[in-house]
Amino acid sequence: MSAIAENINRILSTLPAGVELVAVSKFHPVETLREAYDAGQRKFGESRVQELAVKAPVLPGDVKWHFIGHLQTNKVRQLLRLRPAMIESIDSERLLAAVDTAAADLGIVQPVLMQVHVAAEESKFGFSPSELEAYFTDRRFETLRGVHICGIMGMATNTDDVGRIRADFESIAALAVKIRGIAPDLRGFDTVSMGMSDDYPLAVACGSNLVRVGTAIFGSREY
Ligand SMILES: *Cc1c(COP(=O)(O)O)cnc(C)c1O
């Protein structure tokens, strides 16, 4: 068995039922993705539209691409033409509106996650928890025609402080529960995407049901 297949199987064996694995393949060549595909992996995460545009046509059609990077509004149409299974990184209402319009024009409904920012780093993209609460309290989602909001995505602070990481994951998970309470009629708002190579077991313990793991599957990236 290849090292990649072993890594995937080892990670999958630790994930409880109902928790799904996105193999974050950004910066890795298509041959590497193919090894993961041959090991049975179907969900892959990419962070740049250009890179996805090269990879998507050469991998089998049943790959489910998750877009996880910061998305510029001028790249939205190109991304949607690549038919990602999920855009996890909706980090502003402006971007959400751009995806909504483009998807409606294409006659599709694009699944998305709202990216929430709880980490200490200022540079991270995403809605604050209070912004997201306000979005759902005001029921601004009711005007959407081309997107389906399936849940939220978030990252913990980049720190060795396990207590801080746990607190970040707990606030992301609690926010998802709160939003369901605010808008109980939201359908299929059930994905909580959190956890990466270094922290996914903790994220799962805190309520994640979608982990995004790159390095622990493919090794380190060469940027
Ligand atoms: C790169 C990336 C990951 C994967 O990180 P690893 O530490 O390699 O597992 C997960 N989520 C997002 C949003 C990323 O950009």
Side-chain angles (χ1 to χ4, degrees), residues 24 26 47 68 153 155 195-198 212-216 221:
V24 176
K26 63 189 184 193
S47 59
I68 61 171
M153 182 272 262
M155 277 173 260
M196 318 196 329
S197 290
D198 287 340
R212 309 175 309 271
V213 179
T215 309
R221 291 176 283 274

Side-chain angles (χ1 to χ4, degrees), residues 2-49:
S2 78
I4 288 172
E6 278 178 23
N7 291 340
I8 289 172
N9 288 336
R10 189 188 63 248
I11 293 165
L12 287 177
S13 73
T14 69
L15 297 180
V19 180
E20 298 201 81
L21 172 65
V22 173
V24 176
S25 49
K26 63 189 184 193
F27 295 95
H28 291 288
V30 286
E31 303 76 58
T32 306
L33 279 71
R34 170 67 76 168
E35 272 186 59
Y37 182 90
D38 289 343
Q41 182 64 29
R42 291 296 178 270
K43 290 186 166 71
F44 289 85
E46 289 286 337
S47 59
R48 298 182 305 173
V49 177

Side-chain angles (χ1 to χ4, degrees), residues 36 39 44 46 60 72 97 106 111 120-121 127 129 133-134 139 152 155:
F44 289 85
E46 289 286 337
Q72 291 167 297
L106 287 169
E121 293 90 10
F127 295 88
E133 267 180 59
R139 303 187 61 84
I152 64 179
M155 277 173 260

Side-chain angles (χ1 to χ4, degrees), residues 3-205:
I4 288 172
E6 278 178 23
N7 291 340
I8 289 172
N9 288 336
R10 189 188 63 248
I11 293 165
L12 287 177
S13 73
T14 69
L15 297 180
V19 180
E20 298 201 81
L21 172 65
V22 173
V24 176
S25 49
K26 63 189 184 193
F27 295 95
H28 291 288
V30 286
E31 303 76 58
T32 306
L33 279 71
R34 170 67 76 168
E35 272 186 59
Y37 182 90
D38 289 343
Q41 182 64 29
R42 291 296 178 270
K43 290 186 166 71
F44 289 85
E46 289 286 337
S47 59
R48 298 182 305 173
V49 177
Q50 287 324 326
E51 192 173 338
L52 180 58
V54 171
K55 289 174 172 176
V58 295
L59 274 134
D62 62 343
V63 167
K64 296 194 179 343
W65 298 101
H66 282 224
F67 192 82
I68 61 171
H70 176 61
L71 177 60
Q72 291 167 297
T73 50
N74 63 2
K75 298 274 175 63
V76 164
R77 282 174 196 273
Q78 189 189 0
L79 175 59
L80 291 193
R81 282 194 294 269
L82 298 168
R83 295 290 192 270
M86 184 76 83
I87 300 175
E88 297 202 18
S89 44
I90 299 294
D91 55 14
S92 70
E93 284 194 60
R94 187 168 158 264
L95 177 60
L96 182 65
V99 173
D100 186 50
T101 304
D105 286 353
L106 287 169
I108 61 172
V109 175
Q110 175 62 52
V112 304
L113 302 179
M114 302 289 254
Q115 183 171 349
V116 58
H117 169 77
V118 298
E121 293 90 10
E122 300 237 321
S123 60
K124 292 275 171 64
F125 294 104
F127 295 88
S128 72
S130 59
E131 282 169 345
L132 264 196
E133 267 180 59
Y135 178 84
F136 289 100
T137 302
D138 297 346
R139 303 187 61 84
R140 286 176 227 154
F141 57 86
E142 284 184 342
T143 60
L144 298 171
R145 301 162 300 144
V147 300
H148 175 205
I149 303 177
C150 301
I152 64 179
M153 182 272 262
M155 277 173 260
T157 304
N158 187 6
T159 173
D160 292 335
D161 178 355
V162 177
R164 172 70 207 232
I165 296 170
R166 178 186 291 277
D168 286 349
F169 285 148
E170 284 173 349
S171 28
I172 296 165
L175 181 62
V177 172
K178 193 162 190 185
I179 291 169
R180 279 182 220 120
I182 290 171
D185 54 328
L186 267 182
R187 283 197 289 153
F189 187 89
D190 43 29
T191 299
V192 180
S193 172
M194 54 185 196
M196 318 196 329
S197 290
D198 287 340
D199 55 20
Y200 71 87
L202 182 53
V204 169

